[in-house]
Each structure stands twice: as structure tokens, then as C-alpha cells.
């Protein structure tokens, strides 16, 4: 593809317009098949140009955007919003999102007596152990 100023690599573009947090995550998403350019799976080095449709699947949600302006450098959020037209469905309401699950660090071992007491306080309210 052409490397003129009217196009940009898709991995750097989805990072630059803040659809994905890091450039390496953008490349990984492309390689994993989570990014589609005009309906076909996109490789990280493919170029986007104005008018292209980009679909990015992140965190269980699909973002559908139309490229208005290709950029390669990361910009602020207000400027980034001018580079694409968002056609994504609205995110699900907060009530429908799954609640986070408490996870202990791997290798932390069994909970201590203090940890168990703290858990009991959270579940049943305070009960003294005298």
C-alpha cells in the first residue's frame, strides 16, 4: 500500500485515536484477528485511509468507526474524536455489567486468620470472636 500522508498503519491509528491503550496491544489485537478493516481481518501494517470502516473488538465490546483522518501520532482525546466517526452500539448499562471478582495473588497461600475475619465482616457483619 501507499505510504503517503493520506494513510497510516492501522495498528498505530487505532492507538493514536485512543481505541486501544498501547501500541503493542494494538498490534497484538490485529494479529489475534480482533481488528477488521472494511470487513476483512487486518494485519498490523495495513494502511487506513479516509472512508475506511474499522471494527475493533476489545473487552467484550465491538467498536465500529469510520476513518475521517488518518494520523500516526497519539493525540489528546478531543482531537482524536475528530479523526473518526463512531457507529458503535452504546455500551451496556452499568447494572448489566458483570461484577468484579476478588482475586488473591498467585502464590499468596491460604488466607490468614486476619484475612478470614475481614471476609466474615464483609459477608455477615461484625461478629466478635471472644
Amino acid at each position: 500500500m501507499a505510504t503517503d500522508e493520506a494513510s497510516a498503519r492501522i495498528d498505530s491509528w487505532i492507538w493514536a485515536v485512543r481505541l486501544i491503550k498501547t501500541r503493542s496491544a494494538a498490534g497484538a489485537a490485529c494479529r489475534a484477528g480482533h481488528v477488521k478493516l472494511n470487513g476483512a481481518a487486518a494485519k498490523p501494517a495495513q494502511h487506513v485511509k479516509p472512508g475506511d470502516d474499522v471494527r475493533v473488538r476489545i473487552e467484550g465490546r465491538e467498536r465500529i468507526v469510520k476513518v475521517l483522518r488518518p494520523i500516526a501520532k497519539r493525540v489528546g482525546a478531543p482531537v482524536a474524536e475528530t479523526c473518526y466517526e463512531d457507529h458503535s452500539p452504546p455500551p451496556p448499562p452499568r447494572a448489566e455489567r458483570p461484577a468484579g471478582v476478588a482475586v488473591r495473588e498467585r502464590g499468596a497461600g491460604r488466607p490468614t486468620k486476619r484475612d478470614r475475619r475481614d471476609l466474615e465482616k464483609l459477608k455477615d457483619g461484625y461478629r466478635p470472636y471472644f
Side-chain angles (χ1 to χ4, degrees):
M1 281 229 121
T3 59
D4 58 357
E5 290 185 17
S7 68
R9 285 176 56 119
I10 192 164
D11 62 345
S12 67
W13 186 81
I14 60 177
W15 165 74
V17 297
R18 298 175 174 265
L19 293 178
I20 292 186
K21 290 182 181 182
T22 65
R23 172 99 187 263
S24 61
C30 291
R31 285 188 292 279
H34 299 298
V35 180
K36 296 195 183 298
L37 179 62
N38 297 324
K43 293 182 179 177
Q46 280 185 298
H47 285 260
V48 294
K49 57 189 180 311
D52 283 346
D53 291 320
V54 177
R55 291 175 178 254
V56 181
R57 183 126 185 108
I58 38 176
E59 299 175 359
R61 181 174 177 225
E62 186 171 38
R63 298 288 307 267
I64 304 166
V65 296
K66 181 179 179 180
V67 178
L68 298 179
R69 185 174 65 158
I71 58 174
K73 301 280 185 179
R74 193 166 173 96
V75 293
V79 177
E81 289 177 357
T82 65
C83 296
Y84 63 88
E85 190 175 293
D86 197 355
H87 297 289
S88 305
R94 273 215 184 271
E96 293 180 15
R97 292 183 185 164
V101 177
V103 178
R104 288 182 56 84
E105 292 182 24
R106 188 173 182 93
R110 293 179 49 172
T112 63
K113 187 180 257 186
R114 177 180 285 168
D115 292 339
R116 289 195 305 273
R117 287 181 179 169
D118 290 341
L119 288 172
E120 288 295 323
K121 284 181 191 177
L122 289 175
K123 288 196 297 188
D124 301 327
Y126 180 69
R127 286 188 286 156
Y129 291 96
F130 295 105

